[in-house]
């Protein structure tokens, strides 16, 4: 009896392996590109990336913020998080958005305190909490 079940399982497994599978890649409709207009390179990089990936122009958000690697929490909230959160909400994009691409010129880290109760964070990690 056990040997019959094992044979049936192997047959089903083999059929599943041989069955044609359609794999689709993500397309540009699931991506938001974030550029910093204060950086001369950022809009160029964003446009080139969007063109290469087939991202619609209305899925490129232009912000104006510091071009440093670090930014303080208040500046991050006002100049990065709030505009992106409003963009996502206005377009009801929460269920479609799979990737937020930040380009060169967007700060990488949020300044804060260190330690177990520290407030330092990365910008991309904080952005994942928006949706």
């Amino acid at each position: 009896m056990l040997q019959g079940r094992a044979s049936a399982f192997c047959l089903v497994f083999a059929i599943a392996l041989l069955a044609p599978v359609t794999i689709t890649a993500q397309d540009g409709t699931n991506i938001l590109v974030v550029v910093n207009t204060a950086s001369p390179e950022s809009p160029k990089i964003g446009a080139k990336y969007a063109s290469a990936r087939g991202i619609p122009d209305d899925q490129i958000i232009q912000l104006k913020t510091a071009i440093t690697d670090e930014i303080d929490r208040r500046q991050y909230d006002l100049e990065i998080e709030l505009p992106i959160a409003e963009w996502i909400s206005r377009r009801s994009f929460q269920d479609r958005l799979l990737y937020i691409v930040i380009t060169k010129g967007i700060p990488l880290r949020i300044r804060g305190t260190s330690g177990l109760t520290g407030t330092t964070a990365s910008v991309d990690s904080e952005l994942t909490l928006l949706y």
Side-chain angles (χ1 to χ4, degrees):
M1 180 87 160
L2 185 60
Q3 192 173 22
R5 285 186 184 164
S7 296
F9 174 76
C10 288
L11 180 62
V12 169
F13 186 71
I15 291 171
L17 284 177
L18 297 174
V21 177
T22 304
I23 299 174
T24 57
Q26 296 299 321
D27 61 20
T29 61
N30 303 106
I31 302 170
L32 173 64
V33 178
V34 182
V35 300
N36 184 359
T37 59
S39 163
E41 299 91 6
S42 187
K44 293 175 190 172
I45 292 168
K48 186 166 179 114
Y49 182 87
S51 174
R53 302 283 186 228
I55 301 167
D57 290 341
D58 66 339
Q59 288 174 214
I60 301 173
I61 185 169
Q62 298 186 0
L63 308 176
K64 186 169 187 175
T65 191
I67 55 174
T68 58
D69 282 347
E70 277 193 342
I71 191 171
D72 65 44
R73 173 65 65 175
R74 180 168 163 68
Q75 191 175 10
Y76 163 79
D77 289 342
L78 293 173
E79 297 176 1
I80 298 175
E81 183 176 291
L82 183 62
I84 293 173
E86 288 175 347
W87 186 95
I88 292 169
S89 179
R90 239 186 348 265
R91 289 169 175 79
S92 298
F93 209 67
Q94 300 88 330
D95 295 330
R96 269 193 7 209
L97 183 60
L98 299 178
Y99 308 100
I100 297 177
V101 176
I102 58 174
T103 58
K104 179 180 180 176
I106 297 290
L108 302 174
R109 292 177 301 282
I110 301 166
R111 226 177 274 117
T113 58
S114 60
L116 291 176
T117 59
T119 58
T120 301
S122 67
V123 168
D124 56 351
S125 293
E126 291 290 304
L127 290 175
T128 63
L129 301 174
L130 290 178
Y131 59 99

